[in-house]
Amino acid sequence: YITYCLPLWGQNFSSCVFNRLFVLQKKCVRIICNSSSKINGSFQHTKPMFFKLKLLTIFNLYNYFCGCFGMSILKYRLPKQLLQLYTVSNRSCRLVVPKFKKSRIRNDNFIYNASRILNYLSDNDISYFN
């Protein structure tokens, strides 16, 4: 249920809300892995637990779904209202990342995040249209 429309509602939440969700997600993973007790006064790291359970964190889920949704907009050319917001560079096959004066507006913008993620994939020779 946490993934329902994640690219849309995820861009409107502050990092404080995402951090709270991440803490809850880590608590759930510790319970599933039966390692909810503290060792030497601190909890065990959850990164190996996420890897073992093949789970993505809320931050990784947001990036994944932004990339998937952005890719489907470019591949199927729909919806046209969102497709018009993307700009492809004349010099390369990269998307032009929109520029914003305020970082809060930039971080809350779906087109910005999807463009950044898809450019990362193309820079690392990961084909996202196959």
Side-chain angles (χ1 to χ4, degrees):
Y1 297 114
I2 201 166
T3 60
Y4 181 73
C5 291
L6 184 60
L8 301 177
W9 66 258
Q11 68 186 5
N12 294 323
F13 276 116
S14 65
S15 61
C16 180
V17 174
F18 255 53
N19 285 332
R20 287 183 192 166
L21 283 173
F22 183 53
V23 168
L24 289 173
Q25 192 180 28
K26 287 172 34 169
K27 285 180 183 179
C28 292
V29 167
R30 284 190 183 105
I31 290 170
I32 292 170
C33 291
N34 289 328
S35 62
S36 57
S37 61
K38 292 184 177 183
I39 298 175
N40 295 331
S42 62
F43 288 111
Q44 295 178 7
H45 291 285
T46 55
K47 190 171 186 173
M49 295 176 209
F50 275 99
F51 185 77
K52 177 184 166 190
L53 295 172
K54 297 180 182 175
L55 295 175
L56 294 174
T57 66
I58 186 71
F59 300 107
N60 293 339
L61 283 170
Y62 175 71
N63 287 334
Y64 174 75
F65 281 103
C66 277
C68 288
F69 192 54
M71 178 182 60
S72 67
I73 290 170
L74 292 172
K75 185 174 183 179
Y76 299 113
R77 321 285 292 162
L78 293 171
K80 292 191 186 282
Q81 293 84 1
L82 288 177
L83 182 64
Q84 293 170 352
L85 298 174
Y86 286 100
T87 309
V88 179
S89 173
N90 294 333
R91 292 184 278 164
S92 65
C93 294
R94 294 174 50 96
L95 295 171
V96 176
V97 179
K99 298 197 182 329
F100 297 99
K101 293 189 185 231
K102 296 185 178 182
S103 65
R104 185 185 181 290
I105 296 171
R106 178 187 69 216
N107 293 337
D108 292 347
N109 188 288
F110 167 75
I111 299 299
Y112 172 82
N113 288 321
S115 298
R116 186 180 49 82
I117 292 164
L118 293 175
N119 284 339
Y120 172 81
L121 292 175
S122 69
D123 288 347
N124 291 295
D125 295 328
I126 300 170
S127 177
Y128 49 84
F129 286 124
N130 291 336

